[in-house]
Every structure is written in structure tokens, then in C-alpha cells.
Amino acid sequence: MRRIAFSIAKSRTKFLLLLLLAEIIFLSCISPYFLNLNNLLQVTQFGATLTLLSLGESLVMIGGRDGIDISVGASMSLSGVVFGLAVIHGTGILGAVLITLAGGVVFGMINGMLIAMAKVPALIATLGTQYVYGSLALYLTGGIPISGFPESFKKLSLESTFGIPNQIIFVIVPVTVLVFVLIYMTKFGRRVYLLGTNSEAAKYTGIRETRIRMGIYTLTGVLAAVSAIINNSWLMTARADAGTGMEMQAITVAVLGGIGVAGGVGHLGGVLIGIVIITMMNSGLQIANVNSVWQLAVLGMILIMAIILNHMMQQFVTRVEKAGQ
Amino acid sequence: MLKKYVPKPGRREYVTFLLLLAEIILFGILAPNFLTADNLIRVVQNNAEIAIVSIGMTIVMLLGGIDLSVGSVMGVIAIVIGYMLQADIHILLIAAAAIGIGILLGLINGFLIARFDIPDMIVTLATMNIWKAVIFGLLGGKWLTGLSPAYAAITRAKFLGIPLLLIFILLIYAAFYYFLMYRKLGRHIYATGCNPQSANLSGINIQRIKMISYCISGGIVAVAAMLYIARMGSVEMTIGADLPIACIAAVTIGGTGAKGNGKRGSVIGTLAGVLFIAFLKNGIVILGIPSLLENCFIGMLIILSVLSDAVTSGRNKKGVTV
């Protein structure tokens, strides 16, 4: 029994899977419709935008130096608005996608430049850009959602292939795989972790910190832009407040998934399980007709509990290891 | 006898005041109805809560922390005050209860942050959302209205032609300036923000200091909540939504850096920052610039002010090591 507890405390993945199992049992007790393959597949589309934003947020946090990106939500809103304006001005969907991705690169790079080159604390820099991006999105739309996308644009997010929502199978899965390959199979990824673990040591091994850090924030901006496109297709409008509050959810998912706030710690696999947990919880609460204000509150409580649990499990692990020696 | 070391506000604070002066002159020239007594009083009134809450935010940020929950905490307290006013409880009792709740909610933040070593931002982000749900629960989707308008008169009262509210705000700032510069606890806050390790080694309980700073922040938010309810006479769901960001912006522009820059800054700088943003917002409206762009200007200002800090401190560091 003690051995099992120890192995769960030591492995984040096992702990998260246990939490997921508890959640599934709880939710299927509340609603008999929950545990149905069709429903489960449909639930995944609620987590589509969150997946991309959380991956970006996690990378920023893994990169260390108090890395955080509060502007992801606003950046997603602004990218979505750029996409909407591009479509309205007749660039076609493909052109609009390219413009939006370029926009994502720019928005991310501005963050990266402020943080990596000018050495502004990430929290303050992205707070500032959150203000700027959010305000620009609002100004560009004049507060009125942009609509009038062609009908074919629906295919991306409102239709399914083999019962799996299109945006999951054609966007989320490939992009996630790409990010995983980039982080766990290339030099870039190793360097991101090294920067987070010990940026001094990284510097002495000849890693160009500025370049890597710029890369991380730019990637986060691109991921926010991709999620904006998906979201536009899902709602068939571009709203200036589409990403409002998403940064909170993204940070929550990252921390729940085991990403250390100090940097260098955590695996993106844990983040993916975290996304499943939060998405299921949100849809479960929606089925149970709970107001979205409470969903955020529950999220907040899960966040605090997760960190306290982290703390306690860490102490437990060190105690057991000491006793074993 | 050792001469007592009393640090004075640095160059950064004076720069903010100069900027403020330049801004007032600029708007004064551009808009003829900017420098009128009515307008200036309105600016003070509209920013009273930001001015007061920013003091607490300054203290928290001096320690390298951040408090995102101030807006929701203000909402919760304002609603409690509203219900107590409706129940005809004595005004002093209400004030005591409000400040008590404020300190308690601040203590929750401080306890989680200091005891479990959770990053400030994560804790206050979480509590912000939890209190938001509590506001929703307390209001039940309606507005809290029907409060006596008698208190609104107090916030508009004048003493020798100067708004009472302005005098009140300046007094609080003076009190906290004295507290932070000349009292032992205040100096401990600076010491801890400057270098937690050495503060700890010289016998300062840094966990305690951290908790106290959040308690002060919570208590001062309660004062702002009282002002809010006296001024507005009603509470709605979105109360305090913009408050944390506005305060962080004011504190940052005032020269109190976020993480790692703890040793710098003072409430004097914060006062300058608050006034700077207040006049900027007012000027934007008077000049007829689209108000949707207002936050864009503030965001750029935050970035610019931290950028100038980062550039100058970077240069200093190079000068020392090379």
C-alpha cells in the first residue's frame, strides 16, 4: 500500500490519471448520458482552443525566468479579429489563415523581444501587451462581432470525420504532435528545458538564451493564432472577447499538468491529461447547468489544491526516500 | 551614535512627477476645459478606489509579489457592507467588520503564498475567481441597490474648496509613507523585498512579512470598498473587474518594479502613477480619442515605463561586473 502511494506521489502522470478516473466516475453518476462514446468525442471540441493555448503557456513556463504569458487570451482575440477582417476584405480563407499566422508571429515576437531582449519581467511585459492586444481587438471590431464567413468555413470546426470533430483530427492532433517532436526530439526542446533548469549553465554551454526565449514566445503567439482560427470557425464569428479569461484556464491547466512555475520541470504529456480533466469538468458542469462563474471558481480551487498537493507529495517523497537510505 | 538610515524616494519617482506635470500642461493646452476645478474633482472621484488600493498593491509588489484578487475582494466587501447598511447596523460596526473581512481575505492569500510557497500570481488569480463566484452567489444575478444617498454627499463634500476625498487620500498616502519609511515593520518590508535571504539571516521572519503585506492589502481594499459603496450607492456583478490591472499599471508606472526589482519604489511614486493614469484617461475622453483605445495607451505606458527601468538597471549591472 505504501509502495503504491509512493509511486503515485512520485509520478505526476499516475496521479493525474487517478484524478481523471475519479472525475469520470463522478460525472457519469451525475448524468447517465456522460459516459457515451459519442458524447466523449463531442466533448473534445470544447478543449480544442484550450489545448493549443495551454501548450504555449506550458512552454513559456518551462523556459524559466518566471516565464508566464498573460497575453495569450488577448493575443488569441486579436488574431481572431485579424482573421475576420482579412476574410471580410476578400483575401479568401487561405490568405486569411496566412495573415493570421503572420500576426501570431508578430504578437508573440513582441512579447519575446520585451522579455528576452529588453529583460522586462514576463509578468509585466505580457500584462502590458494583454492591454494593448485586447484594446486593439476591441477597437478594430468597434465592439461588434465580425460575421459573414463563407459557409464552407464551417467544415473546419462544426463537422466531423469518422465521428471525430474535424478540428481535433486535422488541427489539434497534428499541431500537438509537431510541438511534442519539437520539444522532445530536437535540440531546441532540450535547450528550452535547460534554460528553465539553469539559465546560467545554459549560457556557459553556449546556448543563445535570447534566441531560444524569443522562439518560445513566438511559438506561443502562433499557437494562439491557430486556436483563434479554430474558434472563429466554431462560432462562425470573430469576437473581440473570444479569448478573454483564457489565460487563466491555460495557466491552470499547465500547473495542474505538473509544469513547475519556476521553470524546467514538467512534461507536456501531463498537460494533455490536465486538458482532458478540465474540459470534462467544464462540460460536466455545463450539463449540470452550473453558471460559468462557478466553473472558474472550481478551476481556481483545483489550482490551489493541485499546488498544495504537489507540495505535500514532494515532502512525502523526500521523507520516504530518506527513510529508504 | 549611528545616524539613522532613512532612504528617500529616488530619481525614478521624480521622473514620474515630471511626466505628470508635463501631461497636465499638455492636456491643459490642448483642451480648454481640462484644467477646471469641476473636471479635476471628477478625476479624483473617479479614481479614488484605484488610488487607495494601489497603496496595498505597492507594498505587495515591493516584496516581489502581485495581488490580482483586489477587485473581487472589494466586490465581496462592498456587498457585505451593502447588506449591513440595509439591516441598519451601526456605521462604525460596519466599518470594523469590513476591514476585518478585508484582512481575513488578505490573510488567506498571504497564508497560501507564504506557507506553501505558491507563486503570488497563481494564488491571487485563483482567489480572484473564487471571490468572483462568491459575488455572483451573494448578488444572485441582480444589482444591489436602494442604499441611502446620504453617504454620497460626504464623498462630494469640500473643505476650504478642496474636495474632502482628495484630503483623505493624501492623508492615507502620508500615513503609509511614514509607515514604510520610518517604522520598523516598513523597513523590514523593504529589506525583505530587496534581498529575502539576507533579510532572513538578519532575523526577519520573511513568511510573516509576506502575510502581513497581504493583510494590509486586504484591509486597505476594505477602505476602498466603503468609498465605492458610498460613492455609487449600488453594486453590480462586474464590480472591481478592472481594478487589479489598473492598480498594477499605476504602481509600475510609479516606479515600483515587479519581481526582482523590489528594493525600488515608494508610495510617493505610486501616487504619481495613479494621477498620471487618471489624467491620461480623462484627457483621452476630453480630446475625443476613441475610448476603446484607452487600454491600448495604458498598456503601452506600462511597457514603456518598465522598459526604461530594465534598460537603465541593465546598464548598471554591466558597469559592476565588467
Side-chain angles (χ1 to χ4, degrees), chain A residues 223-242:
Chain A
L223 288 173
V226 176
S227 66
I229 297 171
I230 294 173
N231 198 52
N232 277 355
S233 154
W234 198 32
L235 302 173
M236 284 306 273
T237 49
R239 301 175 59 97
D241 62 350

Side-chain angles (χ1 to χ4, degrees), chain A residues 59-83:
Chain A
L59 288 179
V60 165
M61 284 161 84
I62 289 172
R65 233 184 55 206
D66 296 314
I68 199 139
D69 189 349
I70 332 185
S71 73
V72 279
S75 168
M76 174 183 149
S77 301
L78 184 54
S79 302
V81 169
V82 167
F83 183 84

Side-chain angles (χ1 to χ4, degrees), chain B residues 51-266:
Chain B
I52 289 174
V53 174
S54 291
I55 298 177
M57 190 68 87
T58 308
I59 296 175
V60 168
M61 283 175 75
L62 275 175
L63 289 168
I66 200 155
D67 190 349
L68 296 174
S69 70
V70 283
S72 313
V73 169
M74 183 174 96
V76 171
I77 299 173
I79 293 167
V80 172
I81 295 174
Y83 283 136
M84 285 171 97
L85 279 175
Q86 282 175 344
D88 260 339
I89 296 169
H90 192 271
I91 190 82
L92 285 177
L93 211 62
I94 296 180
I99 292 178
I101 297 172
I103 292 175
L104 181 73
L105 298 190
L107 184 65
I108 294 176
N109 280 339
F111 177 76
L112 287 170
I113 290 163
R115 171 70 181 76
F116 294 103
D117 210 16
I118 314 175
D120 305 61
M121 210 203 79
I122 305 273
V123 169
T124 54
L125 197 64
T127 50
M128 171 182 94
N129 281 286
I130 294 171
W131 302 137
K132 227 178 234 173
V134 171
I135 292 175
F136 181 78
L138 284 173
L139 284 179
K142 295 191 294 275
W143 284 37
L144 180 68
T145 49
L147 300 169
S148 152
Y151 300 106
I154 301 175
T155 63
R156 277 191 231 108
K158 282 182 203 162
F159 179 75
L160 298 176
I162 306 165
L164 216 53
L165 201 57
L166 182 63
I167 298 175
F168 178 65
I169 290 171
L170 289 179
L171 275 179
I172 297 191
Y173 267 92
F176 271 92
Y177 181 75
Y178 172 74
F179 162 70
L180 283 170
M181 288 294 159
Y182 297 95
R183 302 305 299 177
K184 194 167 136 197
L185 189 57
R187 296 321 301 166
H188 281 184
I189 288 175
Y190 270 95
T192 310
C194 192
N195 190 339
Q197 278 83 23
S198 61
N200 196 17
L201 287 175
S202 53
I204 297 172
N205 184 345
I206 53 176
Q207 287 198 348
R208 193 175 140 257
I209 294 283
K210 195 116 218 198
M211 278 195 231
I212 288 175
S213 77
Y214 278 96
C215 289
I216 295 175
S217 176
I220 219 159
V221 166
V223 176
M226 284 187 254
L227 258 179
Y228 180 91
I229 202 137
R231 199 163 65 85
M232 309 293 270
S234 68
V235 183
E236 51 166 332
M237 259 299 289
T238 54
I239 176 175
D242 296 334
L243 191 67
I245 308 286
C247 293
I248 294 165
V251 173
T252 316
I253 291 171
T256 308
K259 253 189 158 93
N261 250 347
K263 54 206 146 192
R264 304 252 317 272
S266 67

Side-chain angles (χ1 to χ4, degrees), chain A residues 161-173:
Chain A
T161 311
F162 313 124
I164 305 168
N166 275 346
Q167 76 266 45
I168 300 293
I169 190 167
F170 294 120
V171 182
I172 303 299
V173 172

